[in-house]
Amino acid sequence: MKKHILSLFLVMFAMVGFASTSHASNTIYLESGNTHSNTLTSPKESQWYQIDTKQDNSDLNIYLANTTAPVRFSLYDSNKNLIAWSVSSTFKTLKAGTYYIEVYDYDWGNSYSSGSYEIKATYMNGNVTHDLTTFEPNDTSENAFPIQSGKKISSLISNEYDVDFYKFSTSVDNGDVYIYLANTSAPIKFNLYDSNKNLIASNNLTLFKSLKAGTYYIEVYDFYWDNKYSSGTYDLIATYSTNSKEHNPSTFEPNDTSEHAFPIKSKVSINSQISNSDDIDFYSITSNEEGYVNISLSNTSAPARFDIYDANKKLLDSSSRSYSEYLAAGTYYIKVYSDYWGDQYSSGTYTLNAGYPNALTKSNEILLYLNSTTAYVNGKSKILPVAPFTKQETTLVPLRFVSEELGAKVNWNSKNNDITVQLNGTKIVLNTDSYYVTVNGSDKRLQVKPEVINGPTFVPLRFVSEELGKTVLWNAKNKSILIK
C-alpha cells in the first residue's frame, strides 16, 4: 500500500536491540489514534512507548509532528528486534502483538539542548469508536470510517503525515462508484483499494469506476505539500451502488451513478443544480415503445452538458442544449455535468426536460407517515389498521395495502403462510417465518423478517421500492414516505 513518507530509512546494519532496558518502568502506553505530546530534555534521553495490536496483518501508522528539534523514532517488536526507523513517519503491516517505539534526538550535536514533539500511532486494538466530527482514529484501513453513499464527509488532513481512511460496501456487481474531492484548502489526493489492500486507482479530483460487489477503502492524504502547507481541509463524496432507490425530493441526491439515477416523467421538467465542478447528476427514462426521445437542457446559470446512455451504459450522444433521436423501447440514462467551468463558477442551476413514449398506466402515489394510521392515495385519505413503524433502524410498511394500491395482485396461502405478489411480470414469494424471499425464482434476504401485526403483514420499505420497481422519497422533517 502506497504511503507518502518524506523520510523512511531502511536499516542496513544489524541492531543489538534496545539501548538499555531501564525504559520499562517509564514506558508510556500509546492509545491508538491519540496524539501524545512530549519533550526530550537532553540529547542523551530516550522516551519509550508501547502499543498492542489485536489483529494479524493489520496496519500500523506512526508519525512525528510539530518537532522543535531534529527527532526520530525506532520501532521494535516484543523481542527487541528493530523493525524500522524514521524521522517523520512509517506505515507497516504487522502481526498481532506488543511493539515498542523509542523517540530520541537526531544528531543534535551542540545545536539543541531539548526538543518537543507530537507522536501518533494508529493500529487495530479492538472495536473502533470514531469521533463524528473528525472521523478519527481513521489512519489505517482497519480503522476506516464507514461512509454512506452520496453523503458528504468534511474533514481535515492535520499535517503532511496524516492520512484518513474511509470504507464502503457495494451490493451490486458491475455497479458504478463515483468519488470526488471538493473544497480543498491544500493539494490533496485519494487512493482507492479493494478489500485485500490492492490499489485500484488514484486521483486528486474525481474517479468513476465500475466495481464488483464488495468492500473498498478510500485513503485521503496530502499531495506534495513540501512545507508550503501545514494542514488542509476537504470534502469527500462517494456514491456507490446499493439496493436503495431513495432520493432526496428537493435535490434528487444521491444520483451520481446510473444505479442511483432519479426516474423522471415524460415532459415533466426537473429543476436542480450542479453543486460544484466535479458533481454529476444521473436521471433515467423508461419508454414502453419505440419512438422519438427529446431531451433539452435550459435555464443554466453556468455552462453545463448532458450525455445520454443506453441501458448497458453505452454513450449515445452528448449535448449542451438538446437531443432528439428515434430510439427503441427501454431504459436510458441522462448525465448532467459542468462544462469547462475553470475558476469562473462554483455551482450552477439548470432545467432538464425529457419527452419520450410512455403509454403505461399511471400507478397510484401513496403517502404514508411513520407511526400514523392515516395514508393518502393520490391525495385521498385512507385509514390503516396498523401504522408504519421502524424496527432495527428499518422502516416497515403494510405489504398488501402498498402492493395492491400500486396495482399488484396479492395472494396468501394459509397452509404454509406464503404470500405471493405479482406486478408487471415480477413474481415475489415471501413467508412470514423467514428472512428470505423469492423474486422470479432468485432468493434474496430481507433486512428484517416480515412481521404480522393484527392481521396485516409488514415488510421493509426498501423491499417495496426494489422489487416493485418504484421510487421512494423520505422526508425526515415530517417523517413521511412517498411511494410512486
Side-chain angles (χ1 to χ4, degrees):
M1 186 180 292
K2 182 265 177 195
K3 298 299 334 142
H4 53 94
I5 300 172
L6 292 183
S7 301
L8 178 60
F9 303 98
L10 297 177
V11 177
M12 303 302 295
F13 49 89
M15 297 293 291
V16 296
F18 295 132
S20 71
T21 57
S22 61
H23 72 277
S25 62
N26 298 320
T27 298
I28 300 169
Y29 188 79
L30 197 57
E31 292 282 356
S32 177
N34 287 354
T35 300
H36 184 83
S37 300
N38 212 337
T39 301
L40 293 171
T41 59
S42 76
K44 296 182 179 180
E45 183 181 12
S46 290
Q47 292 171 347
W48 292 87
Y49 300 89
Q50 178 184 329
I51 61 174
D52 294 301
T53 65
K54 303 295 184 182
Q55 179 177 310
D56 276 342
N57 299 317
S58 62
D59 292 332
L60 165 65
N61 186 18
I62 307 170
Y63 68 75
L64 292 172
N66 298 323
T67 56
T68 60
V71 177
R72 64 181 177 183
F73 68 87
S74 294
L75 174 66
Y76 302 90
D77 65 16
S78 59
N79 295 318
K80 305 180 182 180
N81 297 311
L82 180 70
I83 298 173
W85 65 276
S86 176
V87 297
S88 55
S89 64
T90 188
F91 199 98
K92 304 290 290 184
T93 299
L94 301 172
K95 295 181 179 179
T98 297
Y99 297 87
Y100 296 97
I101 304 168
E102 178 190 17
V103 179
Y104 50 99
D105 77 287
Y106 184 35
D107 295 331
W108 284 4
N110 296 320
S111 301
Y112 301 91
S113 59
S114 65
S116 60
Y117 63 91
E118 292 179 352
I119 185 170
K120 181 180 179 182
T122 303
Y123 51 94
M124 191 62 184
N125 67 340
N127 294 329
V128 181
T129 300
H130 295 97
D131 183 289
L132 296 182
T133 301
T134 64
F135 312 107
E136 297 284 355
N138 66 339
D139 296 348
T140 68
S141 58
E142 287 80 14
N143 289 271
F145 182 82
I147 185 172
Q148 295 181 18
S149 179
K151 182 178 179 180
K152 181 175 70 176
I153 292 287
S154 297
S155 194
L156 167 78
I157 300 294
S158 58
N159 58 64
E160 59 186 332
Y161 311 119
D162 186 25
V163 294
D164 293 339
F165 275 90
Y166 303 91
K167 67 179 178 181
F168 63 88
S169 296
T170 67
S171 56
V172 179
D173 271 338
N174 299 317
D176 291 334
V177 172
Y178 183 56
I179 304 169
Y180 69 83
L181 289 172
N183 302 321
T184 55
S185 63
I188 293 176
K189 197 171 183 178
F190 69 87
N191 293 335
L192 177 66
Y193 301 92
D194 65 17
S195 58
N196 295 318
K197 304 180 184 180
N198 297 312
L199 180 65
I200 297 174
S202 180
N203 208 300
N204 63 334
L205 293 173
T206 64
L207 176 66
F208 198 96
K209 296 282 289 185
S210 291
L211 300 174
K212 295 181 179 179
T215 298
Y216 297 87
Y217 298 92
I218 304 170
E219 175 193 23
V220 182
Y221 56 98
D222 77 284
F223 185 35
Y224 294 117
W225 285 2
D226 295 330
N227 298 320
K228 295 179 181 179
Y229 303 89
S230 59
S231 63
T233 57
Y234 64 88
D235 290 339
L236 173 70
I237 298 179
T239 302
Y240 51 91
S241 299
T242 67
N243 289 324
S244 174
K245 295 183 180 179
E246 298 180 25
H247 295 89
N248 184 309
S250 59
T251 64
F252 313 108
E253 296 285 354
N255 66 338
D256 294 347
T257 69
S258 58
E259 285 80 15
H260 287 81
F262 183 83
I264 58 178
K265 297 179 180 179
S266 180
K267 299 181 181 180
V268 176
S269 294
I270 290 289
N271 295 305
S272 191
Q273 73 163 355
I274 303 170
S275 58
N276 58 64
S277 60
D278 298 318
D279 186 26
I280 57 176
D281 294 337
F282 272 92
Y283 302 92
S284 66
I285 60 175
T286 301
S287 60
N288 70 313
E289 58 185 24
E290 62 181 350
Y292 275 99
V293 173
N294 302 294
I295 303 170
S296 65
L297 189 65
S298 60
N299 301 325
T300 54
S301 63
R305 293 185 67 84
F306 69 87
D307 296 340
I308 182 166
Y309 300 85
D310 65 14
N312 296 317
K313 303 179 184 179
K314 178 184 177 182
L315 178 64
L316 301 181
D317 207 345
S318 178
S319 176
S320 60
R321 293 186 179 180
S322 62
Y323 168 88
S324 182
E325 193 66 46
Y326 196 89
L327 299 177
T331 297
Y332 298 88
Y333 299 99
I334 305 167
K335 180 176 75 170
V336 182
Y337 55 97
S338 64
D339 190 15
Y340 298 110
W341 285 3
D343 296 326
Q344 298 180 11
Y345 304 91
S346 59
S347 64
T349 56
Y350 63 86
T351 299
L352 177 69
N353 187 285
Y356 55 92
N358 183 23
L360 294 176
T361 302
K362 181 181 178 181
S363 64
N364 290 331
E365 290 188 353
I366 304 172
L367 180 63
L368 305 168
Y369 289 88
L370 201 62
N371 302 320
S372 173
T373 56
T374 302
Y376 297 88
V377 180
N378 295 334
K380 296 182 179 180
S381 63
K382 294 194 175 185
I383 301 301
L384 303 172
V386 181
F389 61 95
T390 58
K391 182 177 181 180
Q392 298 176 16
E393 299 182 352
T394 300
T395 300
L396 285 89
V397 295
L399 173 63
R400 180 179 290 275
F401 174 80
V402 170
S403 299
E404 290 184 341
E405 292 297 345
L406 292 175
K409 293 182 179 180
V410 181
N411 293 308
W412 176 55
N413 188 327
S414 59
K415 294 182 179 180
N416 57 15
N417 289 331
D418 276 353
I419 301 173
T420 302
V421 182
Q422 297 185 74
L423 177 65
N424 294 335
T426 298
K427 182 179 180 181
I428 304 166
V429 181
L430 66 156
N431 191 287
T432 55
D433 296 323
S434 174
Y435 283 93
Y436 289 91
V437 299
T438 301
V439 181
N440 292 337
S442 299
D443 289 337
K444 295 190 176 184
R445 192 181 193 278
L446 298 175
Q447 293 173 292
V448 178
K449 189 167 65 175
E451 188 166 340
V452 179
I453 302 178
N454 297 333
T457 299
F458 282 73
V459 296
L461 171 62
R462 180 175 292 181
F463 169 76
V464 174
S465 67
E466 290 171 5
E467 307 309 339
L468 296 185
K470 302 301 176 181
T471 299
V472 176
L473 302 178
W474 164 253
N475 189 320
K477 291 183 178 180
N478 59 16
K479 300 187 184 305
S480 67
I481 305 157
L482 179 63
I483 307 174
K484 62 180 183 178

